[in-house]
Amino acid sequence: MQRLDGKILSEKLRAKLREGVEQLQAEYGFVPGLAVVLLGEDPASQVYVRNKGRQCVEAGMQSFEHVLPASVTQKDLLELISKLNADDQVDGILVQLPLPSHLDSNTVLQAIDPDKDVDGFHPMNVGKLASGLPGYVPCTPLGCLKLLQHYIGDVKGKYAVVVGRSNIVGKPMAQLLLQQDCTVTIAHSKTRNLPELCQSADILVAAIGKPLFIKGDWIKPGAIVLDVGINRITDTDGKHKLVGDVDFQAASAHASAVTPVPGGIGPMTIACLLLNTFQAAINRRGLAA
Ligand code: GUN
């Protein structure tokens, strides 16, 4: 069984990116900038935002963090986004989701300049992905694709089952796999006979958000398993630990390749966010990569 190590691959990607950033600075005198907007004090979101900021700076890019109270009005948030849209030092804008329930995430995401939408959540970029046009692709599915391409190679003709239909992961993941000539099914909480469906998958992507939901015997012998879930659970001995949506140990007995949690998809997501920001900086200035 091959362990699809996202920590190692993301470190390689970020090292290469750092060189690219140094080159931009030497040749053109600027570095890409990423603005991250965090509302409220959700501990998991705070950890993600801190990691994003740190890795941005480590790659030689600028990080702008905007932490607003969870009670912020939609008007104030839209005003901040409009300032970031107009700020030439900002190449990428990310508003950490989920938003507090009094805010309308569609309105907020549509306010972001599509050319700075490094999360790929603006309908313009969603539409480009669906049409096969170049645009910004959501970071988690892009990280999954890069892992597949690096460790597995060609996936043409494989049958992929994506469990989860979110705009952040499931739907864009299905689009990317389709572009790679996979045959794709999107499954979700209302899907009938889910274990049997999973058993037919050559590539199984788990993006459900339920700890250890997918069991070992749901996995076809020799399948490739990408586990997008990051769930914090309390062990029988009272210790906290992070687990995926898939039971890694059990899956390892059936699959040919599995991503670990932590150290699989998670680090790839942040690396892809930085890659998208680098690309946005280049595109906005009309430079070639
Ligand atoms: N919340 C969970 N994943 C993501 C992501 O990729 N982008 C943003 N903006 N929020 C998230």
Side-chain angles (χ1 to χ4, degrees):
M1 199 280 302
Q2 189 181 11
R3 192 172 176 273
L4 305 175
D5 193 317
K7 190 162 178 285
I8 292 175
L9 180 58
S10 68
E11 277 162 11
K12 278 191 197 153
L13 290 173
R14 286 185 287 121
K16 214 167 113 195
L17 188 64
R18 200 186 156 81
E19 286 173 18
V21 172
E22 278 167 9
Q23 203 179 341
L24 279 185
Q25 185 161 30
E27 281 185 31
Y28 301 102
F30 76 92
V31 295
L34 171 67
V36 176
V37 180
L38 173 63
L39 308 185
E41 292 172 2
D42 173 53
S45 294
Q46 282 177 331
V47 172
Y48 291 140
V49 168
R50 213 177 307 133
N51 283 339
K52 284 168 189 164
R54 182 172 49 78
Q55 294 190 22
C56 201
V57 171
E58 278 171 15
M61 313 204 299
Q62 290 197 83
S63 163
F64 308 100
E65 277 177 28
H66 296 267
V67 182
L68 304 177
S71 60
V72 71
T73 63
Q74 179 136 316
K75 181 168 166 287
D76 285 351
L77 177 57
L78 293 176
E79 258 174 42
L80 171 62
I81 291 173
S82 137
K83 268 195 208 137
L84 297 173
N85 283 343
D87 185 340
D88 208 39
Q89 284 194 302
V90 172
D91 295 295
I93 302 171
L94 177 148
V95 178
Q96 183 68 31
L97 302 177
L99 294 179
S101 58
H102 68 284
L103 299 172
D104 177 42
S105 55
N106 281 325
T107 305
V108 170
L109 294 177
Q110 286 177 42
I112 296 172
D113 178 348
D115 293 334
K116 296 189 176 188
D117 171 37
V118 288
D119 250 335
F121 294 160
H122 189 289
M124 179 76 86
N125 284 313
V126 176
K128 283 182 172 175
L129 176 61
S131 309
L133 296 170
Y136 296 104
V137 175
C139 306
T140 299
L142 186 57
C144 291
L145 178 66
K146 287 192 185 293
L147 263 184
L148 274 180
Q149 288 175 329
H150 179 80
Y151 288 106
I152 307 294
D154 193 5
V155 291
K156 189 180 297 169
K158 290 194 187 295
Y159 181 48
V161 173
V162 179
V163 190
R165 55 175 153 179
S166 71
N167 292 338
I168 296 180
V169 184
K171 284 188 243 175
M173 185 77 242
Q175 296 285 3
L176 286 178
L177 290 166
L178 197 54
Q179 275 180 14
Q180 299 301 309
D181 296 325
C182 288
T183 303
V184 185
T185 296
I186 303 181
H188 47 79
S189 55
K190 309 287 186 301
T191 296
R192 276 179 283 139
N193 306 325
L194 186 60
E196 289 77 7
L197 182 67
C198 291
Q199 276 157 3
S200 62
D202 303 314
I203 299 175
L204 182 63
V205 182
I208 311 142
K210 289 191 181 148
L212 311 175
F213 183 77
I214 292 187
K215 313 299 174 207
D217 62 2
W218 296 21
I219 291 162
K220 178 176 168 175
I224 299 157
V225 179
L226 304 178
D227 188 353
V228 176
I230 302 180
N231 310 286
R232 180 189 281 267
I233 61 162
T234 309
D235 236 348
T236 41
D237 53 6
K239 283 203 192 107
H240 296 295
K241 66 171 191 175
L242 290 180
V243 297
D245 291 349
V246 181
D247 183 338
F248 181 84
Q249 291 302 339
S252 300
H254 300 261
S256 64
V258 189
T259 58
V261 177
I265 306 297
M268 291 301 296
T269 297
I270 301 189
C272 288
L273 173 66
L274 303 182
L275 284 176
N276 280 353
T277 304
F278 182 84
Q279 195 60 50
I282 286 174
N283 293 348
R284 289 196 328 110
R285 291 169 178 84
L287 307 171

